[in-house]
Amino acid sequence: MTLMIDTLRRHAATHPERIAIDPAGIGAPISYAGLLGQVEAMAATLRTDFPDGAAVALQRDHGTGTTVLELALLEAALPALSLPRFFTAEQTRGALTASGIAAVFEDGEGFRRRKATPAPLPEGTARITFTSGSTGDPKGVCLSAEHMLQVAGSIVATVGTHHAGRHLALLPPGILLETVGGLFATMLAGGTYVCPPQAALGLADPFRPDFAAMLDAIEHQRITSLILVPEFLGGLVREMARSSRRLPLLTLVAVGGARVPPELVELAQSLGVPVRQGYGLTEFGSVVSLESEHPVGIGSAGQLLPHVTARIADDGEIMLSGPQCLGTIGHPCAGGEYATGDIGRIDAAGQLWIEGRKSNLIVTSYGRNISPEWVESALVMQPEILQAMVHGDGLPQPRALIVPTHADADIAAAIARANSRLPEYAQIAEWQEVGHFTPMNGQLTGNGRLRRQAIAAHWLAGELSFSKQLEAATIRDRLRFLAIPQVQAGLSGTISLTVYRNYLAQAWHHVRHTVPLMQEARAGLAHRPELVAALDEYIEEETGHDEWILSDIAVAGGDADAVRRSAPAPATAAMVAHAYETIRGGYPVAFFGMVYVLESVSVALASQGAGAVAERLGLPPQAFTYLTSHGALDQDHLVFFANLVDGLQADEDRAAIVQMAREMFALFGGMFAGLDLEASEYVAA
């Protein structure tokens, strides 16, 4: 029996009707009395299903079922692997195998069993979490229930139970910080945990959070507390400033995961957002320190939680003492003082200040030491810059990799403004525009921290491959495509059944030309056997996919025969016609630019949109075979595609592919823009 179940029993006895779990309209709220019964019943079922105490995994969206399962697994004493939904298939397989997972709980009812060899987990393991830190070989960190609940209890003791109102789960499911600092702390304090699916909060598209939708949710659900990463805080306060809206019910907004620019904190405070910065590590249960309600100055990570102590080593590294994780899989914790790898200081008031990562320190050729986080914070404060990574060890001045916020961003002007706030030795001398850093591509942690080694390996290691040049060259075209309202609606799931069927109709009209287009390109490239072989593989893979779409239309209640007889919309016809004209006009290799657009877009539509639309419309999986199958297929295809085009050395080949990709982003976007979001009747022609 855990502290959590004891607490739930106490809450159920003292205020049984108080709402414990609120899915915010996606299902019915659950009172503390109801939650206690559901957790106890599910824990009993889990003990029956897994009598040997086997480790299980969760890879689910937020919701009532996920929350109850989290609490029941804690009570049943089953080791649970937390798998963020943004993990790649390879990351997921690796974590499942390393952890010896016997079953996986995914969205929906029940679980799927898997054959597994039990892993050497430390005794008492309640949670396994794979950090996506700075190394390329992440380890599964094992935490006990007692440790996690001790951290959650320290958070409650530090902030007080008067903040236990309505906490909204904004961080992705599977993130330890949200589980411990959000769910567990809210339950211990007797508050309400608000946990709708990510799509309902404007987070269906990982590239472009819809901060207006996020603000709507916080306001309409009367939220009083949040845990945010700096990117979310920045987006929210800028939307508040733009719209002149305020959130007077908020009493606590904890921000962690990465350095927060002081200017952003000042802006948030000026808008009435009660920001408190914090600091933590997975090995210490996710939270180590948190600012007080009335901090002195801006920029500290606050006071250490009651159960932790710290000192600063001679080289500036922060050394922590206190309860730690049980170890990693196969490697029990040695105990003792823990070297964090972060540099910082503790002031006279006992506040902890984080000044950078020890291993990240840049030393210029002039001998100046620069913490890249400091310069990055100045860069991302500019509205045009979404993400930045500063590098340049051994160079005269630092350089930056920049991800623009929107398609028309003036990055040069933004960097000039950021430089004006920095001393000359820390100013950005050169910059390069690149694709997004995301958890899905392994360049960002779930908490929003840059995975510097992975980013450097992708963008800075040697001569940039053509596939990476293509990604960078089309980033603004992709941003313009993603900004189309119909694309946003599809990714968030906020479309009607009619619109979904109309989308499938247009998809059929262009997908039925995929194989003929490939055959035309093959004929034009007959003298290039390596490309002919690739096209043969594509043709074999793509044959019959148009029939999948017709089947989806029928399952979704549409008229597949009517679609087969219909004419394409003008925008769809224009996209297909342009592809034929380009191939027949002497540039058959340009077809691979179309491949890049359709396959990269389909991964996002499948991984984000299909699930959101299915949940909203209540359609069975058989109505999404085209999208979901393409999502899995095209992840593999993109690897194949990169290997293929990286072998193309001729400038004219590369130029043709880049040009076609840019044109296809616009033409494919036109197809989406032509969908009527207000359509109330199915339009097949």
Side-chain angles (χ1 to χ4, degrees):
M1 186 180 300
T2 65
L3 168 65
M4 180 61 73
I5 204 71
D6 282 343
T7 301
L8 293 181
R9 286 175 179 169
R10 185 173 68 254
H11 292 328
T14 56
H15 38 254
E17 300 306 315
R18 181 181 295 175
I19 299 301
I21 308 297
D22 187 350
I26 316 296
I30 305 176
S31 67
Y32 269 99
L35 178 62
L36 174 64
Q38 289 193 31
V39 170
E40 289 183 324
M42 182 170 286
T45 299
L46 289 168
R47 292 189 190 101
T48 300
D49 290 338
F50 305 98
D52 56 352
V56 301
L58 287 78
Q59 193 168 35
R60 302 169 52 129
D61 203 345
H62 284 306
T64 300
T66 301
T67 306
V68 172
L69 180 58
E70 285 269 19
L71 299 172
L73 285 167
L74 204 65
E75 175 59 18
L78 291 181
L81 168 65
S82 168
L83 281 174
R85 298 174 82 212
F86 55 71
F87 267 24
T88 65
E90 183 179 0
Q91 287 175 315
T92 297
R93 284 192 297 269
L96 292 172
T97 300
S99 305
I101 296 302
V104 180
F105 290 83
E106 297 167 325
D107 287 327
E109 298 297 326
F111 55 86
R112 59 178 175 85
R113 291 190 182 271
R114 60 188 302 276
K115 294 181 179 179
T117 301
L121 304 178
E123 185 176 353
T125 296
R127 191 176 187 90
I128 310 163
T129 182
F130 276 75
T131 61
S132 48
S134 60
T135 69
D137 185 23
K139 301 293 193 300
V141 176
C142 300
L143 298 160
S144 69
E146 292 75 16
H147 183 194
M148 291 188 290
L149 294 176
Q150 182 180 25
V151 175
S154 277
I155 294 170
V156 174
T158 298
V159 304
T161 56
H162 60 285
H163 287 293
R166 290 174 60 81
H167 177 85
L168 178 64
L170 266 176
L171 296 185
I175 298 301
L176 183 66
L177 176 59
E178 180 58 48
T179 302
V180 174
L183 173 58
F184 292 171
T186 300
M187 294 294 96
L188 292 181
T192 298
Y193 193 66
V194 184
C195 52
Q198 293 261 280
L201 303 175
L203 291 168
D205 176 9
F207 294 120
R208 292 177 61 88
D210 185 341
F211 290 111
M214 190 181 293
L215 184 57
D216 286 342
I218 295 169
E219 185 176 44
H220 295 158
Q221 293 301 322
R222 309 181 315 283
I223 299 305
T224 61
S225 67
L226 301 165
I227 299 175
L228 303 177
V229 293
E231 186 177 329
F232 285 5
L233 176 66
L236 271 176
V237 298
R238 291 187 184 106
E239 178 61 27
M240 291 173 67
R242 185 198 65 79
S243 63
S244 299
R245 294 165 65 185
R246 299 295 182 264
L247 298 169
L249 297 181
L250 281 178
T251 65
L252 173 62
V253 177
V255 184
R259 188 178 190 275
V260 184
E263 298 90 343
L264 178 55
V265 177
E266 291 173 352
L267 175 60
Q269 291 177 344
S270 72
L271 298 174
V273 179
V275 177
R276 297 201 206 178
Q277 294 187 70
Y279 169 70
L281 301 95
T282 299
E283 292 82 357
F284 271 70
S286 80
V287 184
V288 166
S289 68
L290 186 65
E291 277 188 301
S292 65
E293 192 165 1
H294 303 290
V296 178
I298 291 176
S300 89
Q303 302 277 350
L304 293 163
L305 295 185
H307 65 285
V308 183
T309 60
R311 73 174 181 89
I312 306 300
D314 292 342
D315 62 356
E317 184 172 7
I318 300 168
M319 311 294 290
L320 294 178
S321 297
Q324 297 182 34
C325 65
L326 299 172
T328 57
I329 298 171
H331 301 280
C333 178
E337 197 173 46
Y338 185 84
T340 65
D342 293 312
I343 55 176
R345 59 186 172 88
I346 300 174
D347 66 17
Q351 295 184 115
L352 180 65
W353 296 77
I354 311 299
E355 297 176 336
R357 190 75 185 149
K358 184 177 176 181
S359 59
N360 295 343
L361 200 65
I362 293 172
V363 182
T364 71
S365 58
Y366 288 103
R368 301 305 300 262
N369 293 345
I370 301 172
S371 171
E373 293 91 345
W374 166 45
V375 183
E376 287 158 2
S377 68
L379 291 169
V380 299
M381 269 305 296
Q382 309 310 314
E384 299 90 344
I385 298 177
L386 179 67
Q387 296 171 310
M389 190 189 91
V390 172
H391 62 100
D393 196 49
L395 297 174
Q397 282 186 279
R399 300 176 180 180
L401 301 177
I402 300 292
V403 179
T405 301
H406 54 84
D408 300 316
D410 186 343
I411 300 300
I415 288 179
R417 289 197 304 272
N419 279 343
S420 69
R421 299 186 174 192
L422 296 166
E424 186 174 357
Y425 69 86
Q427 292 178 4
I428 297 300
E430 297 180 19
W431 55 275
Q432 174 185 351
E433 198 167 290
V434 298
H436 291 83
F437 312 141
T438 73
M440 284 72 71
N441 62 25
Q443 296 174 31
L444 196 70
T445 72
N447 285 351
R449 197 177 283 124
L450 298 177
R451 294 191 65 210
R452 296 178 186 275
Q453 290 185 12
I455 294 170
H458 190 85
W459 293 109
L460 300 173
E463 184 180 353
L464 206 61
S465 67
F466 174 57
S467 59
K468 294 171 185 174
Q469 292 177 38
L470 176 62
E471 179 185 356
T474 58
I475 179 62
R476 291 179 182 246
D477 304 279
R478 181 186 298 276
L479 287 169
R480 199 168 281 112
F481 171 84
L482 291 170
I484 294 169
Q486 289 86 343
V487 175
Q488 286 288 300
L491 289 167
S492 64
T494 55
I495 61 173
S496 68
L497 179 58
T498 297
V499 174
Y500 176 57
R501 292 192 299 225
N502 287 342
Y503 156 72
L504 288 177
Q506 296 310 309
W508 180 79
H509 277 296
H510 78 76
V511 169
R512 72 188 182 93
H513 288 280
T514 300
V515 170
L517 282 167
M518 289 178 176
Q519 290 169 335
E520 293 241 10
R522 186 187 188 283
L525 296 167
H527 60 293
R528 303 179 66 172
E530 74 285 2
L531 297 182
V532 168
L535 285 166
D536 285 342
E537 187 169 333
Y538 274 124
I539 289 168
E540 182 179 0
E541 189 69 65
E542 295 293 327
T543 298
H545 288 194
D546 52 334
E547 295 298 322
W548 293 1
I549 299 175
L550 294 175
S551 175
D552 288 350
I553 290 171
V555 174
D559 188 338
D561 289 335
V563 170
R564 197 189 296 270
R565 296 190 302 269
S566 69
T572 310
M575 180 178 74
V576 173
H578 181 72
Y580 278 114
E581 289 167 5
T582 303
I583 293 170
R584 293 167 180 169
Y587 296 98
V589 74
F591 175 74
F592 292 104
M594 183 177 186
V595 171
Y596 173 71
V597 172
L598 297 183
E599 293 192 344
S600 62
V601 165
S602 71
V603 170
L605 291 174
S607 61
Q608 301 295 322
V613 172
E615 185 163 359
R616 177 182 176 87
L617 300 181
L619 292 173
Q622 293 81 1
F624 297 91
T625 55
Y626 168 68
L627 277 179
T628 54
S629 297
H630 258 256
L633 285 172
D634 290 344
Q635 285 188 13
D636 293 333
H637 281 180
L638 285 173
V639 176
F640 177 79
F641 173 86
N643 292 332
L644 175 68
V645 299
D646 284 347
L648 300 176
Q649 300 302 319
D651 289 342
E652 57 268 28
D653 285 347
R654 294 183 169 193
I657 291 173
V658 170
Q659 181 65 24
M660 184 68 149
R662 286 177 168 162
E663 293 166 348
M664 277 297 152
F665 269 122
L667 290 164
F668 197 35
M671 188 197 89
F672 278 90
L675 296 171
D676 181 3
L677 289 176
E678 304 300 321
S680 58
E681 295 184 4
Y682 179 42
V683 181

